[in-house]
Amino acid sequence: MPGIRGARAPIRPGVLVKDLLAANGATAIVDLHREYRERVKAANANLRVAGNAPQSGMSYNSFLKVMYVLRRLGLIEWAGEEPMELYPGLVNPMLSIRVSTARRPRVVMSTKVLYQLTAQGQAEVTAWENPYKAFQEMIVATREVVEVLTRNEEE
């Protein structure tokens, strides 16, 4: 049933991230999330026309978790940083954050972290469809390997 928790989302975030990174190269998470929200909004407009209940898209925090899982799976990697822009083309040098270090705090320019596809990410097909399931399978496989190695060391 559309519109209930657990129903298939109109836009798969993993697949969208792969498509956007393949098309645009290195991209910031905030830009990926913005595109995701726009596509969910467009899909919801189509659902309303068809008489179905709209589906909510992921929050930015949930999207960050998806990106974390994609990094852990080795599908994306850090590609660099670029200065934050208040508006396209407008970089404010006063836009900064305070970074505390153990001895002395310092103020640094805010940046957007860019991510790109890895070779593994370009070749992978199934993990993009459901990154959480792929991540869980990776954890289970790792545990099994550790258990086998532990048993072999004990013998």
Side-chain angles (χ1 to χ4, degrees):
M1 292 180 2
I4 61 171
R5 183 176 171 86
R8 185 177 172 122
I11 306 297
R12 304 296 288 176
V15 174
L16 177 67
V17 167
K18 180 182 182 182
D19 293 343
L20 291 174
L21 290 178
N24 303 331
T27 309
I29 294 175
V30 68
D31 298 326
L32 294 170
H33 183 256
R34 185 177 301 119
E35 181 65 25
Y36 166 76
R37 295 296 290 187
E38 288 173 5
R39 292 197 185 185
V40 167
K41 191 175 182 179
N44 281 340
N46 293 336
L47 284 173
R48 284 189 190 98
V49 168
N52 296 324
Q55 296 178 340
S56 63
M58 289 184 160
S59 66
Y60 185 72
N61 255 356
S62 294
F63 198 81
L64 285 176
K65 291 175 187 174
V66 170
M67 295 298 289
Y68 169 79
V69 168
L70 294 173
R71 282 194 316 263
R72 290 289 305 266
L73 289 169
L75 303 177
I76 61 173
E77 65 186 358
W78 181 84
E81 296 178 354
E82 67 181 20
M84 291 279 269
E85 296 179 346
L86 295 177
Y87 301 101
L90 176 63
V91 177
N92 183 352
M94 296 304 291
L95 182 65
S96 60
I97 58 173
R98 182 168 292 279
V99 177
S100 295
T101 60
R103 297 197 175 144
R104 58 189 130 140
R106 59 192 173 104
V107 176
V108 297
M109 290 293 294
S110 294
T111 58
K112 291 195 288 188
V113 177
L114 304 175
Y115 289 94
Q116 65 187 6
L117 285 176
T118 61
Q120 177 185 351
Q122 291 171 349
E124 181 63 44
V125 177
T126 57
W128 290 104
E129 194 62 38
N130 191 342
Y132 287 112
K133 181 179 177 186
F135 188 56
Q136 185 65 32
E137 290 170 354
M138 182 183 82
I139 291 170
V140 169
T142 303
R143 279 191 195 140
E144 291 171 356
V145 168
V146 168
E147 288 173 6
V148 167
L149 292 174
T150 305
R151 272 190 246 129
N152 288 343
E153 287 178 2
E154 290 174 356
E155 293 175 356

